[in-house]
Amino acid sequence: METEIIKTLKQRAKKDVKTIVLPEAEDLRILEATDRICKEEFSKIILVGNKENIVNKANEHNLDISKAEIVEPLLSEKYEKYANDLYELRKQKGMTLENAKELLKNEVYFGIMMVKEGDADGLVSGAIHSTADTLRPALQILKTAPGTKLVSSFSLMVVPDCKYGENGVFVFSDCGLNQDPTAEELSEIAITAADSFKLLTKKEPKVAMLSFSTFGSAKSESVDKVVLATKLAKEKAPDLKLDGELQFDAAIIPSISEVKAPGSKIKGQANTIIFPNLDAGNIGYKLVERLAKAEVYGPICQGMAKPVNDLSRGCKSDDIVGVVAITAIQAQNI
């Protein structure tokens, strides 16, 4: 069953339709998602891969992908131009023109170049490829957005029958990219995640910097990092509702916040959750996904020049549809 927030994002996406590349076009889940997206018309889709294989697989499963554009890298009229542009972009890193041509046989690299050149607005991958194989070309080719110091990721969490967060909606960050961020990096993640929460929900972000300590209840280097990150984030974004260091219960439950964190700026009403490292973030979102039966969209990238987003290799077609809607909304705000 589709969540309300995804329904809302689709409606917003329809107001300024963007073109999203799906480079894993021979995967059945991608084709199922394409069928739905084309019917609902909230995004235009470009499928990258072998046209014959894609069409045959769609027909075999009675899927209508006729409204999607299908591009085969080696047969594309843009192949040579993309190769030359990629070479120019990366030659100082040792890339040759031959290297560039070889890389562009890879559907993800080709799709990223489509986004780079303005022939598409965003890309979603990861149903087959690892996070590294999806994000490496994006970081190499697209790089960070102006004014952004760090690319990070978040997961949009929609927890059923939940009174916490924004009626069960949370942003968890960073759950997929930065392994052990410094205090400075953690402060950047917090500010960017707050922007992401506001973009997707149109609600005020309330940010919790998580730790195993609340307001000095424990001492360690890891706690010190979160304390410093909180201080830096408050200095950079003084109007942002943000607090830390906080244990998770003190972050989301008002009655516990009153006891453990009296005077907290967010008063136990956090909707944007910042984890101290990737271990905590990855474990945390998967616990909520499995035990609370949350819908999870992401990891979604934030801070990149143009939107490129990752999927879990265990994703369903519904997940792909949701991430495409999120990517379209991000593209509207570039």
Side-chain angles (χ1 to χ4, degrees), residues 152-205:
S152 57
S153 78
F154 70 89
S155 293
L156 180 66
M157 313 292 297
V158 185
V159 185
D161 304 316
C162 177
K163 63 183 179 181
Y164 304 119
E166 194 63 46
N167 294 318
V169 176
F170 296 86
V171 157
F172 281 13
S173 186
D174 185 342
C175 301
L177 198 54
N178 293 283
Q179 187 170 349
D180 190 18
T182 64
E184 170 68 27
E185 290 169 338
L186 205 56
S187 69
E188 291 291 326
I189 291 168
I191 292 167
T192 312
D195 289 340
S196 295
F197 183 87
K198 188 173 184 179
L199 172 66
L200 296 181
T201 68
K202 294 193 171 182
K203 303 288 186 180
E204 183 181 27

Side-chain angles (χ1 to χ4, degrees), residues 34 38-41 44-46 64-69:
T34 299
C38 290
K39 281 185 172 73
E40 296 182 45
E41 297 183 327
K44 294 179 182 176
I45 296 296
I46 298 176
D64 182 4
I65 60 167
S66 58
K67 290 183 180 178
E69 180 182 353

Side-chain angles (χ1 to χ4, degrees), residues 233-307:
K234 286 180 175 179
E235 289 171 355
K236 294 175 188 177
D239 294 331
L240 181 62
K241 282 191 177 177
L242 176 148
D243 223 338
E245 85 284 15
L246 292 167
Q247 293 165 311
F248 187 63
D249 55 357
I252 70 160
I253 302 173
S255 61
I256 294 178
S257 175
E258 287 177 12
V259 176
K260 287 187 173 182
S264 170
K265 200 171 183 180
I266 59 174
K267 300 179 180 178
Q269 298 173 333
N271 50 33
T272 304
I273 308 298
I274 309 302
F275 292 90
N277 57 40
L278 194 56
D279 283 334
N282 190 273
I283 292 166
Y285 99 78
K286 287 183 176 174
L287 279 172
V288 175
E289 178 184 20
R290 299 301 176 183
L291 299 185
K293 297 180 172 55
E295 291 291 327
V296 181
Y297 302 94
I300 306 295
C301 289
Q302 50 190 10
M304 207 169 281
K306 293 186 178 182

Side-chain angles (χ1 to χ4, degrees), residues 136-158:
R136 186 186 304 110
L139 292 168
Q140 289 173 348
I141 295 168
L142 298 176
K143 305 189 173 155
T144 56
T148 302
K149 297 179 182 177
L150 182 72
V151 173
S152 57
S153 78
F154 70 89
S155 293
L156 180 66
M157 313 292 297
V158 185

Side-chain angles (χ1 to χ4, degrees), residues 9 16 19 23 55 59 65 67 83 107 112 120 140 158 165 169 182 213 236 270-271 309 311 332-333:
L9 291 174
D16 179 15
T19 300
V55 171
N59 290 340
I65 60 167
K67 290 183 180 178
E107 291 86 354
I112 295 289
Q140 289 173 348
V158 185
V169 176
T182 64
S213 169
K236 294 175 188 177
N271 50 33
N309 289 320
L311 297 162
Q332 288 178 346
N333 288 269

Side-chain angles (χ1 to χ4, degrees), residues 209 225-234 242-245:
M209 309 292 284
K225 180 179 83 168
V226 178
V227 171
L228 179 55
T230 302
K231 178 176 178 289
L232 293 171
K234 286 180 175 179
L242 176 148
D243 223 338
E245 85 284 15

Side-chain angles (χ1 to χ4, degrees), residues 71-131:
V71 177
E72 293 190 51
L74 286 172
L75 299 181
S76 170
E77 61 183 19
K78 299 287 183 76
Y79 178 77
E80 292 292 335
K81 182 180 188 305
Y82 286 177
N84 280 299
D85 290 351
L86 180 56
Y87 161 65
E88 290 295 331
L89 186 68
R90 300 287 295 169
K91 64 183 180 182
Q92 291 185 336
K93 299 289 186 180
M95 182 172 287
T96 65
L97 183 57
E98 290 72 24
N99 294 151
K101 287 183 175 181
E102 189 63 29
L103 278 177
L104 286 175
K105 294 177 185 177
N106 177 289
E107 291 86 354
V108 176
Y109 269 93
F110 191 89
I112 295 289
M113 282 303 295
M114 295 188 83
V115 176
K116 173 70 174 177
E117 301 277 325
D119 295 321
D121 301 301
L123 178 144
V124 173
S125 180
I128 299 170
H129 295 84
S130 69
T131 296

